[in-house]
Amino acid sequence: MGHLAGKEIYQKLGDKIDNLPFRINKNDALFNILKVLYSPEEAELVVKMPYGLSPAFQIEKATGIEKNKLNSLLESLCTKGLVIDVWIGKRYFYMPSPMVVGIFELTMMRTGDNLNTKEWAELFNKYMNDENSYAVNFGKGQQISPVRALPHEGTIHESDYTEVLDYERAISIVESHKKFAIGLCSCRHEKLHTGEKRCDVPLETCATFGESVDFMVRHNFAIKVTKTEMLENLARSKEMGLVFSCDNVKNNVSFLCQCCSCCCNLLLGISKFGYPNIIVTSNFIADINTNTCEGCGKCSKACPIGAIEMIPAKNPETGHKKVPHINNSICIGCGVCSLKCSKTGSMKLIKRNQRVIHPETTYERVILQCLERGTLQHQIFGNPEKISQKIMKGFIGGFLNLPPVKRTLMSEMFRSSFLSAMKKGAVKQKKEYLLRS
Ligand code: SF4
Ligand code: SF4
Ligand code: SF4
């Protein structure tokens, strides 16, 4: 293959990653991250490989890299979490990692000797401290995020308890799987190295389930644990008042984060930069019983995104000077506030007036995520080397980039017919495997 010059290859790599389901902010920190993580050869391979899951022989065809060389480059990229490999049928399929969930998390989950973890942490920290890194994905009111909040068990008001579905219960998610792994929490690991970790939450918390366990364990990002160990891990996190947030899908949830307000880049994206959709809300919202509330303020201190403000009480005759006021527009329905209101039980979660639509599968989530961010054409026409596909990509990309069209497609009615057309398309292209997860 014709080689691209040093600076140019990293520009192209930035463009490639920006076309994936989670867009990137092309600031200086980003290019420094790319340069320290990818060798020029690896960068060139990622630029030329297809966007979607592809077997090695297709990547060989698309990149022109000789088979043995290609295998060793792919292995090196997978070990670094920069390419993801999945066993489907008789062989591995590969795809480039997006920034989130992907390059950031997997880099900061790496363990072993001779790793430049501190340097990576500082670079990612600079990248995340730029508001635009959040705005490129959520600045236009995008609603589909890779992550959704889970309400804590025991925090839902008894009148609404039957409204909690299995996919919203951490324990049911664990029970639905047979394989489990735990790895380092990327955000806490990053903040540990930058000196910003203020909590005493352990690093070894990040939970992976099901098919993803194979990838995580094979490449040393996590270690296998038993179901009991996983449940103990979650119980400890609940005890510490951490937010449970997981894969934004209903079926085959593959990870469950346990986040603290000081380290979690997702929570900081809400509390510091004000983009509430970074974690899609659960179907519940915090609600206070002012008749029993004692105005202690524990709920307000516990809320990880500052959604509860203690304001002067309207009726000081109760003897309480302050009452909590909940900012409904940012509450993610996690229930952490309710965990802290154990004395009076005045703070509970109640069901939202309108149910939130969480994607059924990863395929649905990726399609909707790309649709909102104008990158769907790259998922449909995954081989950047084919001229005819380039023309089609231009056509579809232009079509999807029209904001009103995007908005129409996102409306509920169009959304389901659009998704069913996309699924039929995947079957026609003999990519049924994409629909399984
Ligand atoms: S999202 Fe939360 S649990 Fe996941 S890596 Fe970040 S802080 Fe850790
Ligand atoms: S923790 Fe409970 S009692 Fe204390 S202010 Fe909050 S709602 Fe009221
Ligand atoms: S008020 Fe805060 S702690 Fe309570 S559910 Fe909403 S986001 Fe979670």
Side-chain angles (χ1 to χ4, degrees):
M1 62 180 170
H3 294 289
L4 295 162
K7 207 172 170 190
E8 192 190 351
I9 189 61
Y10 290 103
Q11 292 288 345
K12 284 196 180 280
L13 179 61
D15 293 343
K16 178 75 177 237
I17 297 168
D18 192 32
N19 289 334
L20 294 169
F22 201 85
R23 301 200 66 171
I24 52 168
N25 173 20
K26 292 179 190 166
N27 60 9
D28 289 347
L30 183 266
F31 288 106
N32 289 332
I33 290 170
L34 299 184
K35 280 178 204 155
V36 300
L37 295 182
Y38 299 74
S39 72
E41 262 185 324
E42 290 169 344
E44 191 157 355
L45 162 55
V46 173
V47 167
K48 293 188 172 179
M49 73 190 284
Y51 284 90
L53 280 168
S54 316
F57 71 85
Q58 265 174 21
I59 302 174
E60 191 183 336
K61 219 163 126 189
T63 60
I65 303 175
E66 184 273 323
K67 198 174 170 183
N68 291 333
K69 176 83 188 160
L70 177 66
N71 286 340
S72 102
L73 283 172
L74 285 173
E75 183 54 30
S76 157
L77 284 160
C78 289
T79 305
K80 295 197 266 184
L82 306 174
V83 163
I84 293 168
D85 61 356
V86 188
W87 183 261
I88 301 171
K90 297 179 192 156
R91 54 174 69 94
Y92 280 109
F93 282 59
Y94 303 84
M95 65 176 193
S97 290
M99 180 58 86
V100 173
V101 177
I103 299 168
F104 165 69
E105 288 79 6
L106 295 170
T107 301
M108 294 313 301
M109 287 177 96
R110 286 176 68 183
T111 52
D113 300 328
N114 304 320
L115 298 178
N116 297 326
T117 315
K118 187 168 169 53
E119 182 189 8
W120 302 335
E122 282 163 357
L123 286 172
F124 278 118
N125 195 265
K126 268 196 195 132
Y127 178 77
M128 304 282 188
N129 268 322
D130 181 344
E131 180 181 348
N132 205 33
S133 301
Y134 297 91
V136 287
N137 281 288
F138 298 98
K140 291 184 182 152
Q142 290 93 331
Q143 292 174 9
I144 307 288
S145 163
V147 182
R148 67 179 164 92
L150 284 172
H152 272 297
E153 202 79 24
T155 62
I156 311 244
H157 195 278
E158 55 186 11
S159 61
D160 286 341
Y161 191 68
T162 52
E163 300 286 334
V164 198
L165 301 177
D166 273 354
Y167 85 90
E168 297 208 282
R169 293 175 204 267
I171 291 178
S172 303
I173 291 171
V174 172
E175 291 296 343
S176 70
H177 287 291
K178 291 194 172 70
K179 294 187 220 170
F180 311 93
I182 293 181
L184 298 184
C185 160
S186 326
C187 304
R188 283 191 276 280
H189 197 194
E190 171 221 328
K191 298 293 189 293
L192 179 73
H193 282 285
T194 58
E196 292 163 278
K197 184 177 184 294
R198 296 193 303 274
C199 60
D200 51 9
V201 180
L203 292 184
E204 295 83 2
T205 46
C206 256
T208 307
F209 310 117
E211 297 306 312
S212 304
V213 168
D214 293 339
F215 171 82
M216 298 299 280
V217 171
R218 210 160 11 92
H219 297 297
N220 294 321
F221 296 115
I223 52 164
K224 253 191 178 164
V225 296
T226 62
K227 188 198 278 186
T228 309
E229 286 167 325
M230 179 58 77
L231 289 170
E232 282 168 4
N233 171 44
L234 296 182
R236 180 185 59 182
S237 295
K238 183 180 175 190
E239 187 69 33
M240 297 186 99
L242 303 181
V243 174
F244 282 7
S245 58
C246 69
D247 215 355
N248 183 18
V249 290
K250 289 185 182 175
N251 303 318
N252 284 329
V253 168
S254 62
F255 66 85
L256 201 160
C257 281
Q258 299 129 71
C259 313
C260 52
S261 57
C262 57
C263 302
C264 176
N265 288 309
L266 302 174
L267 291 171
L268 287 169
I270 303 175
S271 59
K272 193 166 157 190
F273 296 117
Y275 295 106
N277 298 343
I278 290 176
I279 299 181
V280 178
T281 174
S282 73
N283 276 305
F284 300 87
I285 191 160
D287 184 62
I288 178 178
N289 181 345
T290 45
N291 295 325
T292 54
C293 169
E294 291 181 348
C296 69
K298 284 184 183 167
C299 53
S300 173
K301 275 198 199 108
C303 177
I305 53 168
I308 305 175
E309 192 189 347
M310 295 304 288
I311 58 167
K314 281 196 186 123
N315 181 7
E317 280 168 23
T318 57
H320 309 309
K321 289 190 183 130
K322 294 202 165 179
V323 285
H325 171 76
I326 302 156
N327 181 348
N328 287 346
S329 66
I330 62 169
C331 172
I332 55 172
C334 64
V336 167
C337 51
S338 175
L339 291 176
K340 294 289 169 187
C341 184
S342 51
K343 187 178 166 205
T344 67
S346 309
M347 186 67 83
K348 288 285 177 195
L349 294 180
I350 56 167
K351 73 172 179 189
R352 286 180 175 266
N353 290 337
Q354 219 179 354
R355 273 197 88 80
V356 183
I357 301 175
H358 298 117
E360 294 286 333
T361 61
T362 304
Y363 180 73
E364 264 195 36
R365 197 224 336 120
V366 167
I367 294 294
L368 294 171
Q369 215 178 295
C370 291
L371 185 61
E372 278 193 338
R373 289 163 179 79
T375 61
L376 184 58
Q377 66 277 22
H378 305 289
Q379 292 296 316
I380 305 174
F381 303 106
N383 191 338
E385 293 301 288
K386 286 196 176 166
I387 299 292
S388 58
Q389 292 198 351
K390 269 187 187 164
I391 295 167
M392 287 303 284
K393 273 198 297 184
F395 174 72
I396 300 262
F399 173 75
L400 291 174
N401 277 329
L402 293 171
V405 174
K406 277 204 287 186
R407 252 180 261 133
T408 313
L409 283 169
M410 290 311 293
S411 78
E412 257 179 67
M413 195 177 83
F414 281 89
R415 189 167 121 140
S416 70
S417 50
F418 179 77
L419 281 172
S420 105
M422 289 298 300
K423 283 177 198 162
K424 278 185 196 150
V427 173
K428 260 193 183 163
Q429 290 182 56
K430 300 199 186 325
K431 291 185 177 173
E432 293 89 343
Y433 54 84
L434 292 175
L435 308 177
R436 289 194 324 204
S437 60

